[in-house]
Amino acid sequence: MAGLIGLLAKVNDTLGSVFRLLSWTFLAAMTSFILLQVVMRYVFNNSLFWPEDVSLMMMIWVALAIAPLAYRHGGNVSLDIVSRFLPLRGFHCLSIVLHLLVVGLLVVLIQESVGMIERSQIRANSIPLPMKYVYAILPIGFGATVLVAVELILRNLVGVVRPDDPLSRSPADPVAGAGLPGGQESA
Amino acid sequence: MSLTFLWLFVILMLVGLPVVFVLLLAPGISLLMEGKTALYPQLLSRLYNGMFSFPLMAIPFFILAGELMNTGGITQRLVQFAHTLIGHVRGGLAQVNILSSIMFAGLSGSAVADTSAIGSMLIPAMEKGGYTRRFAAAVTAASSVIGPIIPPSGIMILYAFIMNISPAALFAAGFVPGLLVGIGLMTVTAYLARKRNYPIANKKASWGERGTAFRHSFLPLLTPVILLGGSLGGIFTPTEAAAVAAGYALFISLVVLRTMSLRDLPRIFYRAALASGTIMLLVGAAVAFGWIVTISGAARELTAFVVSVSEDPLLLLFLFNIMLLIVGMFLDAGPAILILGPLLKPVFVTQLGVDELHFAIIMCVNVTVGLATPPMGLILFVASSLTGERIERIAREMLPFLAIEIAVIFLITYVPSVSLTIPKLLGLY
């Protein structure tokens, strides 16, 4: 079991670094594009037609690239009304059920998003990019989240047998660090 | 379509499934049970289109601006300026804490950013100055609520997007309620300071010292002028204004103050991406959920139920506030707006004729106060992790401050001109 968890953790670490790189560079690019749009309009009196559209497409990619990271490192908001009263073993059992539900949902979302890509005929409004490349992040993000869910299920299984085993805990985000990023209240 | 999804929603929330998945899974299971899986593609396209919105893109930029200001030492300059203005009164550091929150609120749209930035600076100083740790944490948490009430505000952007109203008008409506919360908190603090004999932080600063502190914080203090002047004056869209605020904070920290290096940027941008990506997906899921709410007729049934309780808008608004305060104890502001907004707006605005902007500001202020109410309140979590003090102890110390905040909620509920005068004067409403 430890070997399997180690392997999955390594895969998820690697994917996580790729998604982390993608998300911060895309956010930096989005900011630059919108600033460029403002400068071009007010300083050069020349309205660009593409920054809004391209930034929006990048925002979709950021949201989906962040999904597996947030899920793995506990960044999603949830209530702990029930779980806080459970003994540790019960908590791990409940977590397994919840992760399985999420996997079920994600499998449906992956199927539907692949269908959405296959049906897509349109191009982006401003640049000659087929929209299916924008939609492509949907199954990628959902798929990576399934891998995270499987890792977390295995960790919780360890927790059911040995509640104190450090292997049973979700790994912390190595980059975001301690403390919640500002703006989490909207999440 | 039946209302099964609402029961599933409540059950899945209670057992602790992350909200973003609850919003998709409850309708998903319900459609499966009714053999309507043909609607799944529509659920996914609602999720996608919910995220694909230019006004919504203000949120990542505001979050980024907040992260940059915290790391770049901009907050520190504001606190120093507040110190020279008000540090000499009894309970000076507590007053500095509140005044800094008021100023920071004009720069940032996030309460959590406010708590972590001002708290990490002032809580240790307050402890050293003879305050109890739990009081220091309580003042920080209570005053951070002002952050998303005084514009700019991530929560208001979210509300404006999901309910399709003008973010500029909502921003303008937040000014007076935010200032009232600030003044109320300062008054309570002054009373407590006299009663508990809290210390004076420093001798009265000379006008020269004040001038120097003002000069040091002048550039950061220009941020609200750019932000609000730009978006209320119609020069930028709120999204562009948010990007300009982020760019400006980056410029000040990197070039003018030189408190940040290029090496810090990946981590800052990633933290902002993490917070905003999570919100975007949540918004998409909420839009998909909202669509199911619409086609199921749940809002209509809720309206019928509410009107059967009473038809008096004043009484119903009272009950609405109490309900939101209870919801705020368990749910943070964003999910509360995303889930309850589309359900309740038809009841109050369409059916009972409550003004749209008035309803919006009541809801935004109320759910923002919910960020600081136990057991589930993000600001409390941050204040607790900063101090190591237990949440219950901070919450008990916060009671007088919460009373003020609740009083302001009821004031804006029953005296609409408190919040609506400025949007009217600015011609936004």
Side-chain angles (χ1 to χ4, degrees):
Chain A
M1 185 71 103
L4 192 55
I5 294 177
L7 180 71
L8 262 173
K10 203 166 260 174
V11 171
N12 287 330
D13 281 341
T14 313
L15 285 175
S17 332
V18 175
F19 287 141
R20 215 172 271 124
L21 178 69
L22 183 148
S23 61
W24 83 258
T25 47
F26 273 30
L27 180 59
M30 285 158 59
T31 317
S32 320
F33 292 160
I34 300 301
L35 288 176
L36 178 72
Q37 167 171 287
V38 173
V39 170
M40 290 302 283
R41 190 167 69 231
Y42 286 105
V43 182
F44 299 100
N45 212 4
N46 175 10
S47 287
L48 299 176
F49 58 91
W50 57 267
E52 277 189 18
D53 201 28
V54 173
S55 305
L56 267 177
M57 293 188 269
M58 294 177 108
M59 190 172 81
I60 300 279
W61 273 65
V62 171
L64 269 298
I66 286 298
L69 287 161
Y71 194 53
R72 188 160 186 235
H73 305 302
N76 290 316
V77 178
S78 58
L79 297 188
D80 62 351
I81 299 175
V82 172
S83 60
R84 69 156 73 187
F85 295 112
L86 289 177
L88 209 46
R89 269 207 176 86
F91 168 77
H92 286 297
C93 289
L94 176 66
S95 301
I96 292 172
V97 175
L98 297 182
H99 290 311
L100 285 172
L101 282 172
V102 171
V103 170
L105 171 72
L106 290 168
V107 168
V108 173
L109 287 172
I110 292 170
Q111 281 171 351
E112 294 302 333
S113 47
V114 169
M116 186 167 159
I117 293 168
E118 284 170 353
R119 286 190 303 273
S120 168
Q121 304 279 337
I122 49 171
R123 282 168 182 275
N125 288 333
S126 61
I127 53 170
L129 177 77
M131 282 305 278
K132 64 181 175 192
Y133 293 115
V134 180
Y135 301 153
I137 191 65
L138 293 165
I140 295 173
F142 295 139
T145 312
V146 171
L147 287 180
V148 169
V150 175
E151 182 195 333
L152 296 181
I153 290 171
L154 294 178
R155 286 183 186 279
N156 280 296
L157 277 173
V158 171
V160 174
V161 186
R162 295 187 302 274
D164 295 328
D165 195 323
L167 211 56
S168 67
R169 288 182 214 127
S170 309
D173 192 315
V175 179
L180 295 156
Q184 275 277 5
E185 67 249 30
S186 312
Chain B
M1 197 179 157
S2 74
L3 297 184
T4 322
F5 74 96
L6 281 180
W7 294 113
L8 282 167
F9 171 82
V10 173
I11 294 165
L12 291 172
M13 282 285 279
L14 287 178
V15 294
L17 195 72
V19 181
V20 62
F21 298 120
V22 176
L23 288 168
L24 295 168
L25 200 58
I29 296 177
S30 176
L31 289 172
L32 181 70
M33 283 163 64
E34 293 175 30
K36 291 181 178 165
T37 50
L39 290 176
Y40 277 177
Q42 289 213 47
L43 205 61
L44 179 69
S45 73
R46 277 345 198 251
L47 168 73
Y48 176 88
N49 289 324
M51 293 188 279
F52 200 82
S53 145
F54 189 65
L56 200 63
M57 210 158 65
I59 292 176
F61 295 145
F62 276 136
I63 293 173
L64 177 62
E67 287 287 326
L68 288 164
M69 285 172 204
N70 281 350
T71 321
I74 289 178
T75 325
Q76 206 174 349
R77 307 248 162 167
L78 292 185
V79 172
Q80 275 158 4
F81 180 45
H83 232 294
T84 61
L85 287 181
I86 205 170
H88 60 278
V89 303
R90 188 154 296 284
L93 277 174
Q95 303 286 16
V96 168
N97 193 324
I98 301 168
L99 185 62
S100 305
S101 285
I102 297 176
M103 291 198 270
F104 192 69
L107 276 72
S108 134
S110 151
V112 171
D114 184 321
T115 315
S116 55
I118 293 174
S120 55
M121 221 174 303
L122 279 177
I123 293 174
M126 284 179 75
E127 256 192 287
K128 226 179 279 168
Y131 297 80
T132 60
R133 188 185 292 182
R134 58 176 186 272
F135 179 76
V139 171
T140 308
S143 63
S144 301
V145 165
I146 303 168
I149 301 179
I150 291 183
S153 159
I155 289 166
M156 288 182 185
I157 291 275
L158 206 59
Y159 184 100
F161 166 72
I162 210 91
M163 313 286 237
N164 201 17
I165 68 165
S166 150
L170 193 49
F171 276 5
F175 269 119
V176 177
L179 288 175
L180 282 177
V181 171
I183 294 166
L185 295 182
M186 289 176 114
T187 313
V188 170
T189 304
Y191 170 74
L192 290 176
R194 256 204 312 276
K195 201 174 135 203
R196 299 179 185 173
N197 204 18
Y198 282 140
I200 291 166
N202 50 329
K203 64 174 182 38
K204 193 170 183 174
S206 68
W207 285 104
E209 286 165 331
R210 283 177 186 166
T212 312
F214 176 70
R215 256 202 329 279
H216 283 155
S217 55
F218 176 72
L219 285 176
L221 280 175
L222 266 187
T223 317
V225 179
I226 300 174
L227 258 172
L228 299 173
S231 59
L232 298 181
I235 301 172
F236 315 125
T237 62
T239 307
E240 287 172 345
V244 170
Y248 183 68
L250 188 64
F251 174 75
I252 294 182
S253 318
L254 273 181
V255 183
V256 183
L257 304 180
R258 300 203 181 162
T259 40
M260 193 193 284
S261 74
L262 286 173
R263 256 203 321 235
D264 299 324
L265 292 185
R267 186 171 167 275
I268 295 169
F269 274 92
Y270 170 61
R271 280 173 62 91
L274 184 63
S276 36
T278 320
I279 297 169
M280 291 303 148
L281 205 56
L282 188 73
V283 173
V287 170
F289 184 79
W291 170 65
I292 295 288
V293 168
T294 311
I295 62 170
S296 69
R300 208 171 41 239
E301 296 204 15
L302 184 71
T303 308
F305 169 74
V306 171
V307 175
S308 76
V309 174
S310 162
E311 289 196 36
D312 179 4
L314 296 182
L315 175 65
L316 289 174
L317 279 175
F318 177 81
L319 297 175
F320 165 68
N321 273 318
I322 299 292
M323 185 200 78
L324 275 189
L325 285 168
I326 295 171
V327 167
M329 291 165 78
F330 299 98
L331 213 57
D332 280 320
I337 283 180
L338 291 170
I339 296 163
L340 292 177
L343 269 171
L344 293 172
K345 190 181 157 190
V347 179
F348 284 91
V349 176
T350 320
Q351 180 72 25
L352 296 168
V354 176
D355 179 86
E356 191 171 45
L357 187 61
H358 186 209
F359 180 76
I361 190 73
I362 298 172
M363 186 157 186
C364 288
V365 175
N366 196 318
V367 297
T368 304
V369 170
L371 288 169
T373 51
M376 176 76 192
L378 266 182
I379 297 179
L380 279 180
F381 294 165
V382 178
S384 161
S385 77
L386 278 175
T387 54
E389 193 68 70
R390 286 219 313 276
I391 285 181
E392 318 72 280
R393 287 167 65 110
I394 302 176
R396 205 171 314 137
E397 198 69 31
M398 271 181 71
L399 285 176
F401 299 126
L402 279 176
I404 289 289
E405 284 160 4
I406 292 170
V408 171
I409 293 174
F410 282 106
L411 181 70
I412 58 173
T413 304
Y414 291 115
V415 189
S417 58
V418 169
S419 49
L420 301 185
T421 305
I422 291 194
K424 265 185 199 151
L425 288 176
L426 291 172
L428 295 164
Y429 159 76

